[in-house]
Amino acid sequence: MSTHIASVYDEDLKYLARRISEMGGLAEQMVAESVRALVNADLGLAQKVISDDVLLDEAERQIGEKAIVTIAKRQPVASDLREIMGSIRIAADLERVGDLGKNTAKRVIAVTSTSLPRQLARGLEHLAELALTQLKEVLDVYASRSPEKANSIRERDEEIDAIYTSLFRELLTYMMEDPRNITSCTHLLFCAKNIERIGDHATNIAETIYYMATGSQPAGERPKDDSANTVGAINS
């Protein structure tokens, strides 16, 4: 490979890495704003999140197209091929994170007519903080390509599951105490599930980074709170 071709190839890889970082920043922002819109009944902010999803979709499309062209032209192997394929997988996970933020924002309209109990608001905010922290950390690991840190994030997935399970039970209690809470709490159940799934996508990204760095999948089953699996089956 000539020096010029190698330089162009490096630029292609840098483009993919830069676009992934931009997608990650936008996905983080959308999730944070969707929860803030929900807690504060901010319809304008909710609409902004819904509109921003188009930007994330376009970014994923551009990454996919660039990756395909790069593979066709450069015919990469080994670590370079893993780098490109990993970019496609991570972009897909980030696009789904954006969708989950958008879905939460869409629920804002349904719950603005009711007052959100402060205790439930705190629970949603705490769950979102954990999910966003995990997402931010995994994007930092994407920059460093540390398999050890990627595996550490993967093993912490059950923390979010446990908080989600607790919040799920709390919402059920509100619904049983007063049937008038059923509609709003049902919407909040879906919002909580959206946030919990963001943690799952962050874990997916961590596993992809591990593969990109090592060429192998992380050992063992992904840690999972069994009660969260049961709750998820009820809520799906």
Side-chain angles (χ1 to χ4, degrees):
M1 185 182 291
S2 70
T3 302
H4 172 69
I5 293 175
S7 176
V8 172
Y9 184 41
D10 287 343
E11 286 303 313
D12 289 341
L13 296 181
K14 287 178 182 177
Y15 171 87
L16 292 173
R18 184 175 71 253
R19 295 298 280 146
I20 288 291
S21 296
E22 291 169 355
M23 275 193 80
L26 180 56
E28 282 184 64
Q29 177 184 307
M30 287 176 65
V31 173
E33 289 180 343
S34 69
V35 174
R36 191 157 71 248
L38 182 67
V39 171
N40 298 325
D42 189 333
L43 293 176
L45 187 57
Q47 189 56 55
K48 175 183 179 297
V49 173
I50 294 169
S51 299
D52 283 347
D53 187 56
V54 176
L55 302 176
L56 214 54
D57 291 344
E58 177 63 16
E60 185 199 15
R61 185 189 65 77
Q62 291 175 355
I63 288 170
E65 289 180 354
K66 187 69 169 181
I68 290 169
V69 170
T70 302
I71 291 172
K73 286 184 175 179
R74 314 301 175 195
Q75 299 181 345
V77 294
S79 62
D80 286 342
L81 181 58
R82 294 199 305 271
E83 183 77 19
I84 295 170
M85 296 306 298
S87 297
I88 295 173
R89 289 166 58 178
I90 291 172
D93 275 304
L94 290 174
E95 191 275 334
R96 286 297 299 133
V97 169
D99 282 345
L100 293 167
K102 177 186 69 175
N103 292 344
T104 297
K106 286 182 175 179
R107 300 266 175 188
V108 174
I109 299 170
V111 298
T112 49
S113 59
T114 60
S115 177
L116 184 62
R118 190 59 217 161
Q119 189 173 354
L120 291 180
R122 281 198 300 269
L124 282 169
E125 287 172 327
H126 183 44
L127 183 64
E129 284 170 8
L130 284 177
L132 283 169
T133 296
Q134 192 172 13
L135 183 60
K136 183 180 185 305
E137 287 178 354
V138 84
L139 290 170
D140 289 341
V141 173
Y142 174 72
S144 69
R145 298 296 196 279
S146 168
E148 294 80 15
K149 290 181 179 178
N151 203 43
S152 174
I153 291 171
R154 176 179 180 265
E155 292 176 349
R156 297 207 320 268
D157 187 47
E158 57 189 357
E159 292 178 21
I160 294 176
D161 294 339
I163 297 297
Y164 165 68
T165 300
S166 174
L167 184 57
F168 179 91
R169 290 170 176 161
E170 199 170 342
L171 283 163
L172 285 184
T173 299
Y174 271 89
M175 293 163 75
M176 289 186 291
E177 287 178 348
D178 188 344
R180 291 174 296 182
N181 293 331
I182 290 176
T183 299
S184 60
C185 285
T186 299
H187 286 295
L188 294 177
L189 282 173
F190 281 105
C191 290
K193 185 59 181 176
N194 287 341
I195 297 169
E196 186 268 339
R197 287 174 65 195
I198 289 165
D200 290 338
H201 286 289
T203 303
N204 289 347
I205 293 171
E207 292 176 344
T208 298
I209 294 169
Y210 187 94
Y211 173 73
M212 291 165 71
T214 67
S216 61
Q217 298 293 340
E221 292 292 324
R222 179 186 296 191
K224 206 72 180 169
D225 184 350
D226 290 339
S227 59
N229 290 336
T230 303
V231 167
I234 295 171
N235 198 18
S236 60

